[in-house]
Amino acid sequence: MMRSLSNIFWLGTKELRSLFGDLVLIGLVIYSFTVAVISQAQSSSQELHRASIAVVDEDNSELSRRITRAFQLPYFQSPVYISQGQIEPLMNSGRFTFVLDIPPNFQRDVLAGRKPSVQVNVDATAMIQAGIGSGYALQIINTEVAWFVARAETSTPAPVNLVTRIAFNPNVTTAWFEGVMGIINSVTMLAIILAGAALVREREHGTMDHLLVMPLSPFEIAMSKIWANALVIAVAVAIALYLVVRWYLQVPIMGSIPLFLGGTVLYLFFATAVGLFLGTIARSMPQLGLLYILVAVPINMLSGGMTPVESQPVWLATIMKASPSTHFVSFAQSILYRGAGFDVVWPQFLAVAAIGALVLALTLRRFRAAIATAGA
C-alpha cells in the first residue's frame, strides 16, 4: 500500500511539472479563473442600468412633468424632450431605447376617469433592457398617476400591503450571481480538459510507452493524473474566490469557503475521471476538444447554473439528478449564496461522492483496457 501511494505521489509531481511546462494550458487556467470570471460578471448584466429615454410631452401638464421627472438614475438616463416627428428617426438610429409619448389632455382625462393611453416605444434589439425597462416604465407611470389622483381626491387604501423581501442578493445584481457561477462552470471545463490533455499529451510525446515498462499499475497512473490536475484546479478556485470575486468584484460570500472547497475537491474526482475517460478515446487534442463539446457543454448548461433544473422538462430534470454536476451547483449555491452549513448540504456531498465513485470505477476499468491495448 505504501509503495503504491508513493508511486501515485511521485507520478503526480511529474504531472505537475509537465503541466506547468505547458504554457498554453497554464494560460487557460489563469484566464478561466480571472479574465473570464470578471468579463462574465460585468458584461452580462441583466438589470436595467442607465437606459436612454426620450419624452414627447403633448400635454405639458403638472402630471406629465411629474412622470418625466420620475425616470431617474441609475435605471434611466435623464429624459430628453423631443417632438413626435423625431420618434422614428431617433429610434432607428439607436439614439434611444425608450420613447414615452404622453397625449394631449392627459391630466384632464385622468382626473375625469377616462383612462387615457400613454404610448411607450421600445427598441427591443436591446432585449434585456427592453423587457425589464418596459416593466419599470409601467410601474413608474402607474405610481405617479396613482399619487396624483390620490392627492386630487379621496381614495380608498389598498386592501393588501405587499412587502417584497429579496434574500441573498437584495439589489438583484447580476455580477453577484454570474461571478460565482463563472468559477463553478470553469471547474467542470478545466477538470475535463486538463485530465484528458494529460493522457493525450503522454500519447503524443511517446512517454506512455515509458510508463508501461515501469513497475506501475494502471490505477497508480490514473490516480496520479487525477490528484495532480485536481490540486491545480482547487488552488485556482480558492485564489479566484478570494481575489477575483471577493476583492475585485466586491461580491460578499455568505458561507464557508473551506466547506465549498472541500465539496469542490470531492466533485473534481468525478470531473477529472470524465476527462481521463475522454482521453482514452481521443487520439489527439482536436479530438479531445470535440468530445469535450459533446459532454461538458450539456453538463454545464443543464446542471442548474444557467437555468433552474425545475424549469426543465420532467424527463430531463430526472436525468440530470443523476449527474454530480447538478448536485455540485446545488451545494455551491447553497454555501456561497445562502451561507448553508454541512448539516444542510451533506445530501448533495453524498450524492457527488457516490456517483463520482461509480464514474471513477468505470473510468479506471476503461483506462486499464486502454493501457493493455497500448501495451499489446
Side-chain angles (χ1 to χ4, degrees):
M1 175 63 71
M2 292 303 299
R3 181 181 179 84
S4 179
L5 292 176
S6 177
N7 289 340
I8 292 173
F9 173 77
W10 290 112
L11 280 175
T13 58
K14 189 269 295 182
E15 288 296 327
L16 292 176
R17 288 194 299 270
S18 177
L19 175 60
F20 285 111
D22 193 325
L23 297 181
V24 174
L25 289 180
I26 289 298
L28 177 63
V29 173
I30 296 173
Y31 172 82
S32 298
F33 286 107
T34 54
V35 178
V37 173
I38 294 171
S39 61
Q40 180 175 338
Q42 296 184 336
S43 64
S44 58
S45 176
Q46 296 181 10
E47 59 264 2
L48 190 67
H49 183 70
R50 294 183 59 84
S52 56
I53 183 171
V55 176
V56 178
D57 189 358
E58 300 182 83
D59 189 35
N60 196 25
S61 62
E62 179 185 353
L63 177 57
S64 65
R65 289 190 293 270
R66 183 176 181 85
I67 291 174
T68 302
R69 290 194 299 269
F71 289 87
Q72 299 176 355
L73 294 172
Y75 304 115
F76 295 92
Q77 299 179 17
S78 299
V80 177
Y81 285 100
I82 63 174
S83 64
Q84 193 171 46
Q86 294 177 291
I87 296 178
E88 187 171 345
L90 288 177
M91 293 199 72
N92 288 342
S93 65
R95 175 66 178 82
F96 297 104
T97 304
F98 301 92
V99 175
L100 189 66
D101 189 355
I102 303 176
N105 304 318
F106 175 69
Q107 176 178 306
R108 186 188 66 185
D109 292 342
V110 166
L111 295 177
R114 298 192 184 98
K115 296 184 179 180
S117 298
V118 175
Q119 185 182 70
V120 180
N121 300 276
V122 184
D123 178 8
T125 56
M127 187 177 62
I128 294 178
Q129 283 200 339
I132 300 176
S134 298
Y136 275 51
L138 176 63
Q139 182 179 3
I140 289 172
I141 294 171
N142 286 337
T143 299
E144 295 303 321
V145 170
W147 182 90
F148 189 82
V149 172
R151 193 188 64 171
E153 58 185 31
T154 304
S155 59
T156 58
V160 177
N161 182 26
L162 180 63
V163 178
T164 302
R165 178 180 178 271
I166 302 176
F168 320 127
N169 188 356
N171 294 324
V172 197
T173 305
T174 304
W176 286 23
F177 177 79
E178 292 293 341
V180 175
M181 287 311 304
I183 293 178
I184 293 174
N185 291 335
S186 294
V187 168
T188 301
M189 176 190 74
L190 288 174
I192 294 176
I193 290 178
L194 294 185
L199 189 55
V200 173
R201 190 169 55 240
E202 296 275 17
R203 190 180 295 114
E204 290 181 340
H205 294 171
T207 53
M208 181 61 73
D209 296 333
H210 299 166
L211 294 176
L212 294 178
V213 299
M214 297 175 67
L216 299 170
S217 67
F219 174 80
E220 293 169 352
I221 297 174
M223 291 306 298
S224 66
K225 297 182 183 300
I226 288 176
W227 83 256
N229 290 288
L231 176 64
V232 171
I233 296 173
V235 172
V237 169
I239 294 174
L241 281 174
Y242 282 109
L243 296 184
V244 178
V245 175
R246 258 191 173 179
W247 177 71
Y248 185 82
L249 295 176
Q250 297 292 308
V251 178
I253 303 297
M254 301 300 297
S256 169
I257 292 181
L259 177 61
F260 168 70
L261 291 176
T264 300
V265 171
L266 203 61
Y267 173 74
L268 281 171
F269 278 95
F270 157 77
T272 51
V274 172
L276 207 60
F277 185 89
L278 297 182
T280 62
I281 301 174
R283 291 292 177 264
S284 63
M285 287 301 293
Q287 287 185 9
L288 179 64
L290 293 175
L291 290 173
Y292 165 80
I293 294 174
L294 292 175
V295 175
V297 172
I299 287 178
N300 273 345
M301 291 182 63
L302 302 176
S303 60
M306 296 184 180
T307 178
V309 177
E310 296 80 6
S311 301
Q312 300 170 11
V314 176
W315 64 269
L316 184 57
T318 304
I319 293 175
M320 289 309 299
K321 288 181 181 178
S323 171
S325 61
T326 303
H327 301 285
F328 172 56
V329 171
S330 176
F331 75 66
Q333 292 180 347
S334 296
I335 296 172
L336 299 178
Y337 294 153
R338 308 181 188 102
F342 183 75
D343 58 324
V344 175
V345 299
W346 72 264
Q348 286 80 28
F349 274 49
L350 183 61
V352 170
I355 303 173
L358 177 61
V359 173
L360 181 59
L362 295 174
T363 299
L364 290 174
R365 182 177 180 180
R366 166 70 187 180
F367 187 74
R368 289 191 188 96
I371 290 291
T373 302

